[in-house]
């Protein structure tokens, strides 16, 4: 059957369902808006109120505290977002409503008013909570069980996320830092409108995924009320939840700091989620499902550790870049950098074309896009020599490296799997956590250089972001795919929500560590992160064999499965 005879939702492009690319561009613009705003957030908070482009004048520790709570809540809201999709809207409509709320949230941030600022943050938290878990679940729904294309599909989807991040940190970051913070926030809202338009256009390619739950689905689906009711009838599980809640209340009364009751609310939330997770385990019918569920919960712990370290990028590392890094360079160095990047992308595309690889166009299109970006930067921004690189631009290194290396690293793991070597998702996640942690060695060197000379070189940041990116590519898209493989079908969106909640807890851990930098210093924080992540990754690898047995072959016998019906 030819591609032209297939219905839209059955058609493929570059060996993947066309619906993947609709979700790719929707997520690209949503991440453009989110990461554009994220790049500005801590810098806006700490900027003095007396300069030409005034911020709020907060202390570093205060800004990192808000950053930690905000980025945590953005992801924690994925749990109710997943529940709403599972029980009421379906993932498709949840993504739509989330996009609409995000447009409103980013738009409100454009107004220079503290009330508008907090209102915008709240709307973004709600919007991402609806959109983020459900669009990822829809990507998994494009593939049948056992389709080996799933991991590569998530890696392509991940490119969309980071293409949006790359463009945002360059464009929104520059507009916010150099022209006006609220112009940058408003630009993020316009980007979200583009994402909404793409999603509405592409509905014909998403006919079979994310639909509103039927009556049968609702009857078979999880009832949170019933799970909580079951929890109340289970003395042991209820006791565990009760202990955590008692500790949460104690924390509210005894902890120092303005956010002590915030931690109380967080612990109570964690207690309730833990109770629900225990009840889900109890309700699973087969031992295979229970074993896989336990492994899935362990993977969430890996996620918390990974993002607790990685998310220093938007908090502590962002402020470090702004205040302690020598960011001046000659225009010749900038020209050479862009020529190298464009050349690598172009030559990679030509090589892929010669080898008849299906993704050669990604590289060639990337070379064209970077060339266009470079042209506009030279014309409008690179006008003074030496040029001071905006602090927000360094966050684009992560996204740029992902675009360059994503398909290559996914292909590396796929080739290893075909050769019969160790490529389980847990192994990749452990290796990724260690590689990311090793990246902080370069931040240790940067902090040491600053302590000795009063500033540190940009090259340490570049190397740190390179290792962070390679670690992320080994871990994060794999974790998304892993959840869709192991999660019980009727809990799919809820489990994706829990994954993003774990990501949110990692963000909060990152915020706490960033706050401690004012007390212990960056050198101690970066050293601690390196040591802990490497040891943690090694422990996961040591436990790999028994953990793989508990997955009961969920990742065995994967092959390409096309949709022909």
């Amino acid at each position: 059957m030819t591609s032209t005879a297939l219905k839209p939702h059955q058609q493929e492009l570059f060996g993947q369902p066309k619906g993947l690319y609709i979700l790719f561009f929707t997520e690209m613009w949503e991440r453009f808006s989110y990461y554009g705003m994220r790049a500005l957030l801590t810098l806006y908070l700490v900027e003095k109120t007396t300069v030409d482009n005034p911020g709020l004048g907060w202390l570093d520790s205060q800004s990192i505290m808000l950053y930690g709570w905000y980025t945590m809540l953005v992801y924690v809201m994925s749990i109710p977002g997943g529940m709403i999709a599972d029980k009421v809207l379906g993932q498709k409509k949840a993504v739509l409503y989330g996009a609409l709320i995000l447009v409103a949230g980013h738009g409100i941030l454009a107004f220079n008013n503290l009330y508008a600022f907090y209102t915008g943050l709240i709307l973004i938290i709600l919007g991402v909570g609806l959109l983020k878990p459900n669009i990822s679940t829809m990507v998994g729904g494009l593939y049948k069980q056992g389709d080996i294309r799933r991991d590569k599909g998530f890696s392509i989807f991940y490119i969309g996320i980071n293409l949006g991040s790359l463009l945002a940190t360059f464009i929104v970051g520059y507009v916010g830092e150099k022209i006006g913070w609220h112009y940058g926030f408003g630009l993020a809202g316009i980007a979200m409108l583009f994402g909404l338009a793409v999603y509405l256009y592409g509905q014909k390619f998403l006919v079979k995924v994310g639909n509103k739950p039927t009556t049968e689905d609702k009857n078979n689906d999880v009832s949170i009320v019933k799970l909580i009711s079951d929890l109340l009838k289970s003395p042991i599980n209820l006791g565990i939840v009760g202990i955590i809640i008692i500790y949460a209340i104690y924390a509210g009364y005894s902890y120092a700091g303005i956010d002590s009751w915030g931690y109380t609310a967080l612990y109570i939330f964690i207690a309730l989620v833990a109770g629900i997770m225990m009840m889900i385990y109890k309700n699973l019918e087969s031992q295979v499902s229970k074993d896989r569920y336990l492994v899935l919960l362990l993977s969430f712990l890996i996620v918390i550790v990974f993002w607790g370290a990685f998310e220093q990028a938007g908090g502590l590392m962002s402020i470090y870049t702004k205040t302690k890094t020598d960011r001046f360079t000659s225009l010749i160095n900038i020209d050479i950098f862009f020529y190298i990047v464009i050349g690598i992308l172009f030559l990679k595309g030509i090589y892929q074309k010669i080898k008849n690889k299906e993704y050669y166009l990604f590289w060639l299109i990337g070379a064209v896009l970077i060339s266009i970006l470079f042209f506009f930067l030279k014309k409008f921004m690179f006008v003074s020599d030496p040029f001071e690189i905006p602090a927000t631009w360094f966050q684009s290194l992560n996204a740029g490296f992902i675009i360059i290396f994503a398909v290559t690293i996914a292909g590396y793991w796929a080739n290893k799997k075909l050769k019969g070597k160790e490529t389980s998702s847990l192994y990749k996640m452990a290796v990724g956590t260690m590689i990311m942690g090793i990246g902080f060695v370069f931040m240790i060197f940067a902090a040491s250089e600053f302590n000795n000379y009063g500033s540190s070189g940009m090259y340490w940041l570049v190397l740190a972001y390179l290792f962070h990116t390679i670690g992320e590519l080994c871990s994060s898209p794999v974790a998304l795919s892993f959840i869709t493989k192991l999660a019980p079908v009727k809990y799919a969106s809820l489990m994706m929500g829990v994954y993003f909640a774990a990501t949110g807890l990692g963000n909060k851990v990152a915020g706490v560590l960033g706050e401690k930098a004012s007390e212990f210093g960056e050198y101690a924080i970066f050293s601690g992160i390196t040591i802990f992540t490497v040891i943690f990754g090694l422990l996961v690898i040591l436990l790999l064999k028994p953990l793989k047995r508990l997955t009961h072959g969920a990742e065995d016998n994967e092959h390409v499965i096309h949709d022909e019906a």
Side-chain angles (χ1 to χ4, degrees):
M1 187 179 293
T2 64
S3 178
T4 55
L6 296 172
K7 295 178 180 178
H9 67 273
Q10 298 172 319
Q11 295 174 10
E12 296 180 357
L13 180 65
F14 303 124
Q16 298 284 345
K18 281 189 176 180
L20 173 66
Y21 301 100
I22 297 301
L23 300 177
F24 172 103
F25 284 108
T26 302
E27 182 73 342
M28 183 192 81
W29 287 116
E30 186 273 330
R31 292 289 91 180
F32 181 102
S33 65
Y34 174 76
Y35 281 109
M37 183 269 179
R38 171 183 174 270
L40 299 178
L41 182 57
T42 53
L43 300 181
Y44 168 66
L45 292 173
V46 301
E47 186 60 87
K48 296 177 181 178
T49 59
T50 55
V51 297
D52 292 337
N53 185 21
L56 296 184
W58 289 16
L59 297 175
D60 289 358
S61 58
Q62 291 175 318
S63 67
I64 293 175
M65 180 183 71
L66 177 66
Y67 174 83
W69 282 111
Y70 165 70
T71 52
M72 182 197 73
L73 290 172
V74 159
Y75 290 107
V76 164
M77 286 304 295
S78 294
I79 290 184
M83 292 177 181
I84 290 170
D86 282 344
K87 296 294 290 182
V88 183
L89 298 176
Q91 291 112 24
K92 200 179 298 183
K93 281 192 176 180
V95 170
L96 174 62
Y97 295 150
L100 290 169
I101 294 172
L102 282 169
V103 169
H106 286 291
I108 289 173
L109 282 177
F111 294 95
N112 188 5
N113 179 285
L114 195 59
Y115 175 78
F117 176 71
Y118 286 118
T119 301
L121 291 185
I122 291 170
L123 288 175
I124 292 171
I125 288 168
L126 296 175
V128 174
L130 275 175
L131 187 147
K132 189 65 179 168
N134 294 306
I135 197 170
S136 298
T137 303
M138 288 173 68
V139 172
L142 294 170
Y143 303 92
K144 294 182 178 179
Q145 193 67 30
D147 192 337
I148 198 173
R149 298 178 302 166
R150 184 189 298 257
D151 279 6
K152 188 166 282 189
F154 271 102
S155 292
I156 293 171
F157 181 68
Y158 217 66
I159 292 176
I161 292 173
N162 289 280
L163 181 57
S165 175
L166 174 66
L167 295 173
T169 45
F170 265 105
I171 300 171
V172 176
Y174 181 86
V175 170
E177 278 195 83
K178 302 299 183 181
I179 300 175
W181 301 109
H182 296 280
Y183 287 106
F185 294 144
L187 186 58
I190 294 172
M192 192 61 241
L193 273 175
F194 289 149
L196 179 60
V198 169
Y199 185 68
L200 291 173
Y201 162 77
Q203 292 301 296
K204 62 185 177 182
F205 300 105
L206 303 170
V207 172
K208 287 196 172 182
V209 293
N211 293 313
K212 187 175 181 179
T214 63
T215 302
E216 183 180 357
D217 292 332
K218 292 178 181 179
N219 291 336
N220 293 331
D221 198 8
V222 58
S223 168
I224 301 301
V225 174
K226 184 178 185 305
L227 287 172
I228 294 176
S229 175
D230 292 342
L231 177 64
L232 296 174
K233 301 173 185 175
S234 178
I236 295 177
N237 295 335
L238 183 60
I240 294 172
V241 173
I243 290 171
I244 300 175
I245 291 176
I246 291 171
Y247 178 77
I249 296 171
Y250 167 77
Y253 279 107
S254 62
Y255 281 18
I258 60 174
D259 58 344
S260 60
W261 284 105
Y263 281 105
T264 295
L266 174 61
Y267 295 152
I268 290 174
F269 173 80
I270 291 173
L272 292 175
V273 171
I276 291 172
M277 295 297 100
M278 287 187 286
M279 288 302 99
I280 289 175
Y281 176 82
K282 196 171 183 179
N283 290 343
L284 292 175
E285 296 177 356
S286 70
Q287 189 60 45
V288 170
S289 296
K290 290 185 175 182
D291 289 345
R292 288 177 174 177
Y293 183 72
L294 289 175
V295 177
L296 191 60
L297 294 181
L298 174 65
S299 74
F300 293 151
L301 177 60
I302 301 174
V303 167
I304 293 172
V305 171
F306 182 90
W307 292 109
F310 183 91
E311 275 299 322
Q312 298 303 320
L316 180 59
M317 285 178 65
S318 180
I319 294 174
Y320 184 92
T321 303
K322 177 80 170 178
T323 60
K324 298 183 178 181
T325 302
D326 179 6
R327 294 178 282 114
F328 284 96
T329 188
S330 70
L331 293 181
I332 292 176
N333 289 337
I334 293 175
D335 290 347
I336 291 172
F337 171 78
F338 274 95
Y339 291 147
I340 290 173
V341 172
I342 293 168
I344 290 173
L345 292 174
F346 179 76
L347 291 175
K348 181 70 175 180
I350 295 299
Y351 174 79
Q352 294 278 62
K353 175 63 175 174
I354 293 172
K355 293 291 185 177
N356 291 320
K357 301 287 186 179
E358 57 190 8
Y359 296 110
Y360 74 94
L361 271 178
F362 279 109
W363 301 100
L364 296 179
I365 292 172
V368 171
L369 290 175
I370 297 297
S371 299
I372 294 171
L373 176 64
F374 182 43
F375 171 79
F376 281 101
L377 290 175
K378 278 187 69 70
K379 187 171 181 64
F380 299 108
M381 298 182 190
F382 298 152
V383 293
S384 61
D385 196 1
F387 177 78
E388 185 180 24
I389 300 174
T392 51
W393 283 13
F394 285 88
Q395 293 186 47
S396 70
L397 289 169
N398 172 244
F401 285 140
I402 282 177
I403 293 169
I404 293 172
F405 294 117
V407 174
T408 300
I409 290 178
Y412 165 79
W413 287 114
N415 289 333
K416 282 197 71 175
K417 186 178 183 72
L418 292 174
K419 293 177 182 178
K421 297 182 179 180
E422 179 60 66
T423 57
S424 64
S425 293
L426 290 172
Y427 179 74
K428 294 180 196 175
M429 292 166 70
V431 169
T433 300
M434 290 191 293
I435 293 173
M436 183 272 302
I438 291 171
F440 280 98
V441 170
F442 301 108
M443 294 309 300
I444 296 172
F445 292 148
S448 178
E449 188 173 288
F450 176 82
N451 291 337
N452 291 329
Y453 302 106
S455 68
S456 60
M458 294 181 286
Y459 44 84
W460 298 123
L461 288 167
V462 175
L463 290 169
Y465 277 115
L466 174 61
F467 274 71
H468 291 179
T469 301
I470 293 172
E472 182 182 1
L473 286 170
C474 292
S475 181
S476 187
V478 171
L480 287 170
S481 180
F482 192 54
I483 292 166
T484 64
K485 294 174 185 176
L486 263 65
V489 175
K490 67 178 180 178
Y491 302 114
S493 287
L494 177 58
M495 288 298 101
M496 192 62 75
V498 175
Y499 163 79
F500 285 113
T503 302
L505 291 175
N507 277 261
K508 183 55 187 170
V509 170
V512 171
L513 292 174
E515 291 176 56
K516 295 297 182 183
S518 61
E519 181 180 350
F520 298 105
E522 289 94 347
Y523 187 93
I525 296 298
F526 294 144
S527 299
I529 290 173
T530 300
I531 295 168
F532 181 81
T533 51
V534 171
I535 292 175
F536 180 83
L538 289 173
L539 286 174
V540 173
I541 291 174
L542 288 174
L543 296 171
L544 195 61
K545 285 187 178 180
L547 291 173
K548 284 178 65 178
R549 283 197 295 270
L550 291 175
T551 67
H552 295 278
E555 298 186 291
D556 296 342
N557 302 317
E558 293 182 323
H559 57 284
V560 175
I561 303 175
H562 298 282
D563 188 352
E564 297 180 352

